[in-house]
Amino acid sequence: MVKPLLKRIFGDRHEREVKKVLPLVDEINRIAEDLESVSEYELQQQTEKLRGIVRERTQELETRLAELRATKRQTEDASERERLTVEIQAVEDELKREVQTVLEDILPEAFATVKEACRRLLGQDIVVTGQKMTWDMVPYDVQLIGAIALHRGHVAEMATGEGKTLVATMPLYLNALAGRGVHLVTVNSYLAQRDSEWMGTVYQYLGLTVDCIDLYEPGTPERRQAYLADITYGTNNEFGFDYLRDNMVFSLAYRVQRTHVYAIIDEVDSILIDEARTPLIISGPVSD
């Protein structure tokens, strides 16, 4: 009796979570409307503008971290190296927190930038896995809500046909602005290539690089270069075996992956945003 009554009064947990982000959705839409009046050049410069904000907010910590790592490389004393290791970890943790803070601050403008880019691409012919297509997608409010959830690491679920492929573009774009690389992991090579080319239309329009590891042989310079893209697509098998191979190399020069920072795991039919639950789509910051 009490639980149904409380639900009628306050709504269920999911409804409450959605209500919390609706003001943010309104802000995204307002900024997107303002961006409609800017030139194409100004819209494309949004990426560098937002990247500049991230760099400015994190530069001091990045510099401190580089200095500590350089000092550790030159230090032979074991106890001093251990002390430096602890200090480096503390600065890295602080840097991660600062990056997350600044990304949350610029989220409305970043998502609005992607939305306006999608609008301007309407009707443009593109080629995806050798097939000619016409771009016909602009994010709806429900997709903005899903994108916010993906960025924040909450759980959301979307059925096939509800536009989750487009939803992923916004948190991927936002997290790529930090310049540390982001991954989208899917279940087969066709989808990895298709989505990297299809959604790559938006990323490249806004000046980001995108690649797909499944297009290249393991351990090759081409695969290493794919990991250096702002946004990297690939299958779970290829990401997983690259990780294992990277942990068996005798020299860092032979590693193909870089630091693991943010990933969305796409299981095609639904979306799940969490780091440790049965995956449908999983996204969020990942530990090294």
Side-chain angles (χ1 to χ4, degrees), residues 48-65:
E48 188 53 38
K49 171 191 169 183
L50 295 170
R51 275 177 161 169
I53 294 172
V54 177
R55 283 196 298 267
E56 182 181 356
R57 294 268 296 270
T58 59
Q59 184 175 11
E60 185 177 340
L61 288 170
E62 293 277 15
T63 301
R64 176 63 177 152
L65 195 55

Side-chain angles (χ1 to χ4, degrees), residues 10-27:
F10 298 108
D12 64 24
R13 183 174 62 84
H14 301 296
E15 290 174 347
R16 294 196 300 272
E17 290 298 325
V18 169
K19 287 178 181 178
K20 288 180 183 178
V21 302
L22 288 179
L24 189 55
V25 171
D26 291 339
E27 185 179 359

Side-chain angles (χ1 to χ4, degrees), residues 46 50 106-115 170 173-174 177:
Q46 280 287 110
L50 295 170
I106 65 174
L107 182 153
E109 190 168 357
F111 282 19
T113 298
V114 174
K115 180 174 181 177
M170 288 171 278
Y173 173 79
L174 173 62
L177 294 171

Side-chain angles (χ1 to χ4, degrees), residues 210-255:
V210 58
D211 213 332
C212 174
I213 60 171
D214 289 60
L215 299 176
Y216 314 108
E217 291 297 319
T220 60
E222 291 79 10
R223 180 165 287 199
R224 187 176 299 111
Q225 193 62 34
Y227 277 110
L228 293 176
D230 294 313
I231 299 169
T232 302
Y233 282 72
T235 55
N236 53 343
N237 287 339
E238 295 301 322
F239 278 116
F241 281 113
D242 279 344
Y243 176 80
L244 294 175
R245 282 188 287 264
D246 278 358
N247 279 276
M248 294 188 291
V249 298
F250 294 102
S251 169
L252 293 178
Y254 293 102
R255 284 189 174 180

Side-chain angles (χ1 to χ4, degrees), residues 143-158:
Q143 292 169 316
L144 295 177
I145 293 170
I148 294 167
L150 279 166
H151 169 67
R152 292 180 172 176
H154 298 316
V155 177
E157 187 170 350
M158 298 182 70

Side-chain angles (χ1 to χ4, degrees), residues 166-179:
L166 182 63
V167 168
T169 61
M170 288 171 278
L172 287 173
Y173 173 79
L174 173 62
N175 283 273
L177 294 171

